[in-house]
Amino acid sequence: MATLDRLRDPVALSSSPAFDTPVHPLLPTQQARPPPPKPAFAKPTISPVIAVRLEAATLGPVAFRTFTKKHNLTLNSSALQALAACIGKDCGTGWREEGTGEKVLSEAAKLWKAENGGVIVEDGARLQGILRTLEGCMVGGSLAAPKTGNKLSRESSFAFGNNSALHLPDSDSRRPSLDSRHDSFGISKLHVEVEEEDEHADANTDLRAWLRVTSAYDQPRFTYDVDKKHFVQLTHKPSLLPPPSRKTAVFRERYNVIHQRLLRNEAFQTPSFSSRSTTLAGTDSITTQQFYKLTPIANLLGRGGTSHLLLGMLVIAPTGVLALNDPSGSISLDLQHAQPLQGENSAYFCPGMIVLVDGVYEEDWAGAGSSGLGNTGGIGGSIGGRFLAFSIGSPPVEKRMVSLGISTNATEVGGGFGWTDFLGLGSERAVGERMKRLERRLLNDHTIPESKKMVVMSEVTLDQPSTLAALHMVLAQYAAAPHPPLAFILLGNFCSQPALAGASTGSIEYKELFNSLAAVLREYPPLLLHSTWVFVPGDNDPWASAFSAGASTVLPREALPELLTSRVQRVFIEAGVPREEVAGKVVWTSNPARVSLCGPAQEVLVVRDDVSGRLRRNAVRIGQQVGQPDGRDTAVAAADESQEDVVMSGALPTAEDVTQEETPTADRALALPNTDTTPASIEAYNTAQAKKLILSLLPQSTLSPFPLSVRPTHWDYASSALSLYPLPHTLVLADAEADAFAMTFEGCHVVNPGRLVGSGGKRKRVGWVEYCFEGRRGMVKGGWVG
């Protein structure tokens, strides 16, 4: 017992208990203190992260699934290596098993989009800043969520390592909960929530400052990558004399854009399952959704007598027969029994257009040879036999919001190319909603002195006195208004004869034409001070007219040379415009050009081209159109049946109506095929022709759906400058051979101002279009001179 009491004595024993030799007791400060009680909410211990060397090839599949499949982004090799190094260092060995690597990739993609990054993620200052932000959020190899109620920004909390704003995850659950996965740890919400009225408090309130004119040569150039299924920006320098391979790329690009547009259409998507329903008798009946399946031309071999739906380009074969081409091959086409899918006289079908053809393949074993590929041989050659078409139609048009993957209320609808900056002013997903709010604020601001309208005049032939009188009448009308228009757009031809082409109009005479225009503009100083003037050339304007001599010039074409238009710019200086601001008041741009208001919020495509006459000259006569000299009777009958809409009916149910916004007055002299020249008949005929023009052009997704021999184009600029994909908000199609109209199809408002001065006797009609930015609609205006 004594021994036990001694053991309990706080006096320490010696190192040899057998001798029972006590030592001096320890001082109170040297005694071991009991551990403090553990608090109720103790911070968990954070296990150290074992860094690993992660190869880019190992991370590649996870990065592709996260960036490309989920966020429509593309990683280059350098960016993938930077992400692999960051994940290997900060996530360690658990980057795959615990799913922390994929979460870091997801947050990096969201931060890249939040900072208005492009579609292609590259290793640069922006990506390195995002990686530093994520490194500040890593705790124990995983991301930490910010505390609720704190409005964080990348510059404030995460960039400087403010750990007080972080909340450590529970150590008992290594994986985040389902709610935290959907919340994505809150890092995607790093931007500050700003009220709508305070968001643009410091923005420029001058509406004209947000009006931009983008030339065709300044627009970004994109190509559609079939493998990656998105648009890739071209990096090679464009040239007016490119290699011949760029010529074939023009048509291949058009086919790929329309083909991917069809595959995104619900009518061309294969249903994943069939619905089963039970009848009253108790027997099962299987009903399947009807869908359309495209067949490549090369797959027709050995399938004679079967029905197929083909997508290809109409061409004239070297033998002189009509043929259909696609990237896999070519086949002769028989349209003797074909009918339009959308109804009679609904659209033109010309060589160079991409069409849908439904019919039966008939083999020709006599001249096909052993391989069935004709005389050319090989895949891609002319396939023996012919394709007997029963129906032919244009591909269905895709609305702009569907192409960009957003709806009218800015919610995602899946897919789309909203992160692609087609115009170079910001993508729809990045800055679109913010710019729309700014646009609504500026258009509703009644303190802006300019009105929210744009005046468009076409075929302003300055060498005719009636044109100068018409300009006086139009400008005097707007100068007397309380608010001047926001912009004036004057489109050529500015000369009725080809200039510098050996005719009477040389360089001196052409310069005198703009001197006459300057004399007219000098009389209206308020319009020069408060409006932006845009000039778009035509085919008769230099320098292109010097070698075209009145024929179709190459599209896109350069702006008018400053050497011949210097007098107009001098008038703006005399009116009080500072010399350094003249370039923003008067804009000499290319044909075509794009006018945007508040970036991607509103896009107006302006082009000067007599496309209706070119469609009539090159159209293929199909089906029952054979024997009808002009097709006018059918057009008038269709217009009389429905004065408002033309419905594209048939096998493709996705096309909507063409609605007429403003009907031009039918008092022009118009030569009709028959003797019925009553105003109602003229009005119906002009309306039907306008709708036919729209239904022919918009489904082709290009402004020039013709062979290069009919309408030459610059190969390096045709894919972007002439593109109608996605559809613009408004298309100003200045066609002097067509009557003035303003109609809407699939959300795209198409406007044709016609000629400024029409033909006639002493009194001539003046016509132009007044476009309202607020309502995104145009109105045909008119008057009389003489």
Side-chain angles (χ1 to χ4, degrees):
M1 293 297 295
T3 305
L4 293 177
D5 293 338
R6 222 177 349 303
L7 291 176
R8 297 190 185 99
D9 193 3
V11 179
L13 302 179
S14 66
S15 59
S16 180
F19 294 98
D20 197 14
T21 305
V23 295
H24 296 287
L26 297 175
L27 296 177
T29 56
Q30 298 178 353
Q31 293 182 2
R33 297 179 179 178
K38 186 176 181 181
F41 300 97
K43 290 186 178 181
T45 58
I46 302 175
S47 59
V49 178
I50 303 177
V52 295
R53 182 179 179 181
L54 184 59
E55 298 293 338
T58 307
L59 186 65
V62 182
F64 174 79
R65 182 173 64 251
T66 304
F67 276 80
T68 305
K69 295 295 185 181
K70 293 183 179 180
H71 300 282
N72 294 328
L73 297 176
T74 302
L75 279 171
N76 60 8
S77 57
S78 59
L80 182 60
Q81 292 176 359
L83 288 171
C86 177
I87 293 176
K89 180 179 66 174
D90 297 330
C91 297
T93 56
W95 72 272
R96 185 192 295 272
E97 290 80 5
E98 300 178 8
T100 56
E102 186 173 355
K103 296 180 179 62
V104 171
L105 292 175
S106 180
E107 295 299 334
K110 292 177 181 179
L111 288 176
W112 180 269
K113 288 184 176 182
E115 295 191 359
N116 303 336
V119 177
I120 301 178
V121 182
E122 300 176 348
D123 187 13
R126 179 178 296 176
L127 181 61
Q128 293 299 327
I130 292 175
L131 295 181
R132 287 194 296 269
T133 300
L134 295 175
E135 288 178 0
C137 304
M138 300 297 296
V139 177
S142 60
L143 290 172
K147 291 181 180 180
T148 60
N150 294 340
K151 293 182 179 180
L152 304 176
S153 63
R154 175 177 151 183
E155 291 79 6
S156 60
S157 300
F158 291 97
F160 300 100
N162 186 3
N163 294 329
S164 62
L166 299 180
H167 173 67
L168 298 177
D170 190 3
S171 59
D172 296 335
S173 58
R174 301 178 63 90
R175 290 181 178 270
S177 63
L178 187 62
D179 296 336
S180 62
R181 287 201 301 269
H182 283 294
D183 187 61
S184 191
F185 294 96
I187 301 179
S188 60
K189 303 176 182 178
L190 298 181
H191 63 277
V192 180
E193 298 293 337
V194 185
E195 296 296 334
E196 183 174 347
E197 60 270 12
D198 298 331
E199 184 177 5
H200 304 288
D202 56 346
N204 194 347
T205 57
D206 185 7
L207 189 59
R208 281 191 304 168
W210 297 98
L211 187 70
R212 302 291 180 87
V213 180
T214 305
S215 171
Y217 297 93
D218 299 333
Q219 185 179 345
R221 299 180 301 115
F222 290 90
T223 182
Y224 181 77
D225 194 318
V226 180
D227 298 329
K228 299 179 181 179
K229 291 182 172 51
H230 69 81
F231 286 89
V232 179
Q233 188 169 3
L234 298 176
T235 57
H236 63 266
K237 186 177 180 180
S239 173
L240 297 181
L241 297 174
S245 60
R246 310 277 175 82
K247 178 180 179 181
T248 57
V250 172
F251 300 99
R252 185 170 59 249
E253 176 71 16
R254 286 180 49 202
Y255 179 88
N256 291 336
V257 169
I258 295 180
H259 184 258
Q260 66 86 21
R261 195 181 75 196
L262 284 181
L263 296 182
R264 286 156 46 88
N265 194 303
E266 294 181 356
F268 290 84
Q269 295 178 1
T270 305
S272 57
F273 60 89
S274 60
S275 59
R276 181 181 297 270
S277 60
T278 305
T279 61
L280 295 178
T283 58
D284 293 338
S285 62
I286 301 177
T287 59
T288 59
Q289 177 185 359
Q290 183 183 7
F291 66 96
Y292 303 97
K293 182 179 180 181
L294 299 176
T295 303
I297 292 179
N299 291 4
L300 297 177
L301 292 176
R303 304 171 70 179
T306 56
S307 300
H308 300 277
L309 180 64
L310 306 182
L311 176 69
M313 179 181 295
L314 288 176
V315 296
I316 302 298
T319 56
V321 299
L322 189 65
L324 191 70
N325 289 358
D326 73 356
S328 66
S330 175
I331 187 173
S332 61
L333 195 62
D334 187 357
L335 299 179
Q336 182 179 0
H337 306 284
Q339 296 293 332
L341 284 173
Q342 292 86 12
E344 293 292 337
N345 293 283
S346 58
Y348 294 101
F349 300 103
C350 305
M353 287 186 172
I354 297 178
V355 296
L356 285 168
V357 183
D358 185 17
V360 176
Y361 172 57
E362 295 183 353
E363 290 182 309
D364 184 12
W365 297 102
S370 58
S371 63
L373 293 177
N375 297 328
T376 56
I379 297 299
S382 181
I383 296 178
R386 64 171 183 168
F387 192 78
L388 184 61
F390 297 145
S391 302
I392 182 172
S394 300
V397 178
E398 188 176 75
K399 291 185 177 181
R400 178 182 177 88
M401 293 295 101
V402 178
S403 301
L404 298 178
I406 60 176
S407 62
T408 54
N409 56 357
T411 57
E412 298 185 8
V413 296
F417 307 99
W419 290 103
T420 304
D421 187 6
F422 291 99
L423 202 56
L425 301 176
S427 63
E428 183 72 27
R429 292 277 186 90
V431 299
E433 186 62 26
R434 187 166 67 251
M435 288 294 102
K436 289 177 183 177
R437 290 196 296 267
L438 175 62
E439 179 195 26
R440 288 194 297 266
R441 176 188 173 186
L442 294 177
L443 292 179
N444 296 330
D445 190 358
H446 300 288
T447 61
I448 299 178
E450 300 88 1
S451 66
K452 287 77 175 179
K453 296 180 180 180
M454 179 174 64
V455 180
V456 184
M457 293 176 282
S458 178
E459 199 69 9
V460 187
T461 52
L462 300 174
D463 56 343
Q464 298 184 5
S466 58
T467 301
L468 300 179
L471 284 174
H472 272 291
M473 186 197 72
V474 176
L475 298 182
Q477 177 178 342
Y478 287 102
H483 300 292
L486 184 64
F488 285 90
I489 296 183
L490 275 66
L491 299 102
N493 299 306
F494 296 105
C495 183
S496 58
Q497 299 295 328
L500 312 181
S504 59
T505 306
S507 59
I508 298 178
E509 291 79 8
Y510 190 84
K511 189 174 182 179
E512 289 295 331
L513 299 181
F514 281 92
N515 293 345
S516 303
L517 176 63
V520 175
L521 297 180
R522 188 184 292 111
E523 301 181 12
Y524 307 98
L527 300 181
L528 303 181
L529 292 175
H530 298 91
S531 300
T532 301
W533 294 74
V534 183
F535 293 86
V536 179
D539 290 343
N540 289 346
D541 298 314
W543 302 110
S545 60
F547 59 87
S548 64
S552 297
T553 58
V554 184
L555 285 182
R557 59 151 300 171
E558 287 280 3
L560 292 174
E562 186 179 357
L563 175 66
L564 305 176
T565 59
S566 58
R567 182 59 184 169
V568 175
Q569 301 183 10
R570 198 180 312 166
V571 171
F572 283 82
I573 299 177
E574 296 173 357
V577 179
R579 187 179 297 271
E580 61 274 6
E581 297 181 6
V582 172
K585 300 289 186 179
V586 53
V587 181
W588 308 91
T589 185
S590 63
N591 181 25
R594 298 179 189 262
V595 181
S596 60
L597 185 65
C598 297
Q602 188 166 172
E603 178 184 346
V604 180
L605 176 57
V606 181
V607 60
R608 171 66 181 93
D609 189 18
D610 296 332
V611 66
S612 61
R614 192 174 295 109
L615 288 172
R616 288 192 296 267
R617 290 191 298 269
N618 297 276
V620 177
R621 301 170 66 183
I622 60 176
Q624 295 181 358
Q625 291 181 353
V626 179
Q628 296 180 1
D630 46 40
R632 178 187 176 275
D633 297 335
T634 307
V636 173
D640 290 338
E641 183 178 351
S642 176
Q643 290 290 337
E644 296 297 330
D645 303 326
V646 168
V647 181
M648 295 181 62
S649 60
L652 302 179
T654 57
E656 293 186 357
D657 301 343
V658 181
T659 58
Q660 183 175 357
E661 303 294 339
E662 284 293 332
T663 304
T665 55
D667 47 7
R668 308 189 178 193
L670 181 65
L672 296 180
N674 61 5
T675 58
D676 186 7
T677 57
T678 60
S681 177
I682 297 175
E683 185 73 18
Y685 178 72
N686 293 339
T687 302
Q689 291 300 313
K691 294 177 180 179
K692 190 173 182 179
L693 172 62
I694 295 174
L695 294 176
S696 303
L697 189 62
L698 294 189
Q700 298 300 316
S701 293
T702 181
L703 292 172
S704 180
F706 305 102
L708 296 180
S709 58
V710 177
R711 186 51 158 169
T713 59
H714 287 302
W715 304 340
D716 276 354
Y717 296 96
S719 59
S720 296
L722 305 181
S723 175
L724 285 174
Y725 187 84
L727 286 176
H729 296 97
T730 303
L731 171 62
V732 178
L733 182 62
D735 190 342
E737 298 182 0
D739 232 29
F741 62 83
M743 299 181 181
T744 303
F745 178 58
E746 292 288 6
C748 179
H749 189 61
V750 184
V751 175
N752 178 30
R755 292 178 176 267
L756 177 62
V757 181
S759 59
K762 263 188 176 181
R763 298 189 67 217
K764 297 183 179 180
R765 177 168 178 81
V766 180
W768 70 96
V769 165
E770 184 180 275
Y771 178 76
C772 181
F773 283 103
E774 191 171 3
R776 298 181 180 178
R777 289 295 181 269
M779 180 179 297
V780 179
K781 297 288 187 176
W784 296 90
V785 295

